[in-house]
Amino acid sequence: MTAVGVYDQIKKAFQDVIAPELHALRGDIRVIDSRIAGLDLKIDGVDARLTVKIDSLRTETVSMKAELIAEIRRVDVRIDGVDRELRTAVDVRERLAALEARRAS
């Protein structure tokens, strides 16, 4: 009978002390689960907004890159034109110097 008495005491202690604590923990876990679900939704919203922003920035960057390349090509064409004009000017100057040298002799 002593063994049954100890068993009953342990059972009663479990029911009186541990079982209510387990029940309270289950409630806390449910609250935490619902908060996590809310955070998941917020994170999904932030992720969607960031994706839109990143896509927008990517599009803007590609556009700016295309503009920059076009401007570089335009400047390159102008430099080629100035280079041709400079070569022509040097050639004319050399010819003029040669003519002046012949005339002076």
Side-chain angles (χ1 to χ4, degrees), residues 2-71:
T2 308
V4 174
V6 171
Y7 172 78
D8 287 338
Q9 288 177 354
I10 293 174
K11 181 179 174 184
K12 181 164 178 31
F14 182 80
Q15 289 173 342
D16 293 345
V17 177
I18 296 174
E21 288 297 319
L22 286 175
H23 184 68
L25 286 174
R26 282 189 193 133
D28 292 344
I29 289 170
R30 283 188 195 110
V31 169
I32 291 170
D33 282 344
S34 68
R35 287 184 179 174
I36 289 172
L39 286 174
D40 283 344
L41 290 174
K42 287 181 181 179
I43 288 170
D44 289 344
V46 169
D47 185 46
R49 288 194 312 266
L50 283 175
T51 299
V52 168
K53 282 282 190 188
I54 289 169
D55 289 346
S56 173
L57 288 172
R58 183 176 292 123
T59 301
E60 187 176 342
T61 302
V62 167
S63 174
M64 291 176 78
K65 179 183 175 185
E67 290 175 27
L68 182 59
I69 289 171
E71 185 65 16

Side-chain angles (χ1 to χ4, degrees), residues 73-89:
R73 287 182 180 148
R74 187 184 67 76
V75 169
D76 193 41
V77 167
R78 285 189 70 192
I79 288 171
D80 287 347
V82 169
D83 184 51
R84 281 190 298 275
E85 290 176 15
L86 182 60
R87 289 176 195 260
T88 301

Side-chain angles (χ1 to χ4, degrees), residues 83-97:
D83 184 51
R84 281 190 298 275
E85 290 176 15
L86 182 60
R87 289 176 195 260
T88 301
V90 168
D91 188 42
V92 168
R93 182 165 166 81
E94 287 174 355
R95 288 180 186 181
L96 185 59

